[in-house]
Amino acid sequence: MVANFRRSLSFSTTPSPPPPSSSAAVKKIHFRSTSLPTRSHPIHFQLKYHLNQLKSQWAISDPTSGSLDLGRILDALTRIRTILECLDDLLDLAPSRDSLRRHPEWIEKVLEDFLVLVDVYGTFQMQISTLKQCNVAAQLATRRKDGLRTSVCVKGLKKTGREVFKLMPFLHGIREHDPSGYNVTESGRDTDPDLDVGGVIRGVVEAIVMISEAVFGGISGSFETRKSSWTIMGLKKSKREKGIGELENGIWSLRNYYEDEVMKKKMMKEMEECIDGIESGSERVFRGLINTRVSLLNVLTQ
């Protein structure tokens, strides 16, 4: 039977790569699985590990804490990409495909969720591109000491932040409806493997929504100047969202609240690096979402 196994997989016991700022070398120990995939397959454990780590880091939010940390956001986007890659590997296993094929209607509903996420991240990529353009124009205006042009750029950044916030209701819609019918929290105690695979997939969707809400809210909140109460697509914003420090400092410097030119350039540079980092991380998530949706489609069609 082992000879018919389609491929062997190599896994690292190191759960996730060290953060970019870490210079310490991490020794990786690999082991190879040649057994038939089961519920205890290493891919399954690796996927659940990343999900548990991500949820433990983000599920509890301190309302009294300051701005969101860029490094934390980039780490979360990287972990989401890793989770999607693990899910692709899980969906590539024959037992997983067989389990999911017994629930075609459920798979159709999950595919709808992933389609919404793909659309949301596709739109988000366009908004991030607009942010970059506004930021470049703002830096040029500040070097030329063109206050009028700088003011226009600030308005452009704020407008883009509001456009990003318009993506939030789509995420809330995914959160509010659960098409699975599976109890994710109890799936580990259930003997039915269908429940386990379905629960993991729902856990992945929930994690993506949770991180996306934090990122989108952080961007829109960074450009708000005062408490506001307004409604977009049925979603009321009654208070200022927690912003991202580098974006808040950048917009603050553009409003000429800080006259130190050296510090202003530093803040603008950090804002540029922040936008670039989020763009890169979200693009990888976007591509991962597309790949995962293709894998889910293959479950139904192959």
Side-chain angles (χ1 to χ4, degrees), residues 124-272:
F124 181 63
Q125 288 298 111
M126 292 188 291
Q127 298 302 332
I128 283 290
S129 178
T130 302
L131 276 180
K132 288 183 66 174
Q133 296 173 11
C134 290
N135 187 50
V136 170
Q139 291 190 50
L140 180 61
T142 53
R143 284 197 297 268
R144 295 177 175 176
K145 300 186 182 301
D146 186 343
L148 180 59
R149 181 59 183 168
T150 300
S151 178
V152 171
C153 293
V154 169
K155 291 180 180 179
L157 290 168
K158 292 178 64 177
K159 179 181 179 181
T160 305
R162 289 193 292 271
E163 292 299 317
V164 170
F165 188 78
K166 289 181 180 180
L167 299 174
M168 298 282 274
F170 298 103
L171 299 175
H172 291 190
I174 295 176
R175 181 189 291 278
E176 290 171 0
H177 100 276
D178 181 4
S180 67
Y182 297 140
N183 190 328
V184 178
T185 59
E186 296 181 356
S187 62
R189 297 195 298 270
D190 201 296
T191 58
D192 187 350
D194 294 355
L195 303 188
D196 204 41
V197 176
V200 168
I201 293 175
R202 290 309 304 173
V204 170
V205 173
E206 291 167 1
I208 295 172
V209 169
M210 177 178 62
I211 298 305
S212 301
E213 287 176 340
V215 175
F216 298 170
I219 291 176
S220 63
S222 299
F223 303 128
E224 291 298 316
T225 56
R226 62 183 181 275
K227 290 186 178 181
S228 58
S229 180
W230 36 273
T231 302
I232 291 182
M233 300 173 64
L235 179 62
K236 184 176 181 180
K237 182 172 182 178
S238 59
K239 63 179 181 179
R240 188 179 189 275
E241 298 286 337
K242 185 181 292 185
I244 302 171
E246 288 78 4
L247 297 183
E248 290 180 325
N249 292 338
I251 196 73
W252 187 66
S253 67
L254 283 175
R255 294 188 178 112
N256 296 319
Y257 294 154
Y258 207 91
E259 297 299 333
D260 188 323
E261 292 297 327
V262 175
M263 184 59 67
K264 181 180 293 188
K265 289 180 180 179
K266 180 177 181 296
M267 289 180 175
M268 292 296 298
K269 181 64 176 177
E270 290 176 349
M271 184 178 183
E272 178 182 1

Side-chain angles (χ1 to χ4, degrees), residues 58 66-70 72-73 214-215 217-218 242-246 248:
W58 285 87
S67 303
L68 292 172
D69 179 71
L70 175 62
R72 186 182 177 209
I73 289 176
V215 175
K242 185 181 292 185
I244 302 171
E246 288 78 4
E248 290 180 325

